[in-house]
Amino acid sequence: METIDTRIEAAETRLKKLKAQRQQIEARKRTEDSKRKRTEDTRRKILIGAAILAKVERGEWPQARLLAMMDKVLTRPDDRALFDLRSPPTTAPESQLDLP
């Protein structure tokens, strides 16, 4: 017959395993939540960019204004190259972007 100490040890072992499982589930949920938020943020940026480009294409927003805005905010050379911005970026606070 099992002694009380043996039963307690078995219960403690089971409790440790269950706690480890709970931690894994919580970590998985945090990872999924983080991934979902990044995906949503990326989608938001794509939609904003599409809306601005559509305005430029329809002539509702001057292309020069878009390029001036991009010149102020882009710092990475490969990003700047996408817009043919060769000179180094000017440093200006975001409040000076002249957005409509």
Side-chain angles (χ1 to χ4, degrees), residues 41-98:
D41 184 54
T42 299
R43 182 73 178 146
R44 242 183 251 102
K45 291 174 183 176
I46 290 169
L47 293 172
I48 290 168
I52 291 173
L53 287 175
K55 282 189 164 286
V56 170
E57 289 171 0
R58 289 191 305 260
E60 298 172 10
W61 210 36
Q63 184 174 6
R65 189 173 180 187
L66 171 65
L67 292 175
M69 179 180 69
M70 299 309 288
D71 187 41
K72 290 179 182 179
V73 297
L74 296 178
T75 57
R76 291 178 37 194
D78 55 336
D79 292 342
R80 294 181 61 76
L82 289 172
F83 295 93
D84 292 325
L85 301 172
R86 303 290 182 215
S87 60
T90 58
T91 55
E94 287 185 32
S95 62
Q96 296 178 359
L97 291 180
D98 298 327

Side-chain angles (χ1 to χ4, degrees), residues 13-72:
T13 301
R14 186 167 174 353
L15 179 61
K16 286 179 186 177
K17 287 180 183 178
L18 291 173
K19 283 183 178 182
Q21 286 177 353
R22 181 176 61 190
Q23 286 177 341
Q24 287 176 340
I25 291 169
E26 289 172 357
R28 196 173 309 123
K29 284 181 185 178
R30 283 191 304 273
T31 300
E32 290 170 1
D33 187 48
S34 177
K35 183 178 178 182
R36 180 188 51 78
K37 286 180 181 178
R38 282 192 313 273
T39 300
E40 288 174 354
D41 184 54
T42 299
R43 182 73 178 146
R44 242 183 251 102
K45 291 174 183 176
I46 290 169
L47 293 172
I48 290 168
I52 291 173
L53 287 175
K55 282 189 164 286
V56 170
E57 289 171 0
R58 289 191 305 260
E60 298 172 10
W61 210 36
Q63 184 174 6
R65 189 173 180 187
L66 171 65
L67 292 175
M69 179 180 69
M70 299 309 288
D71 187 41
K72 290 179 182 179

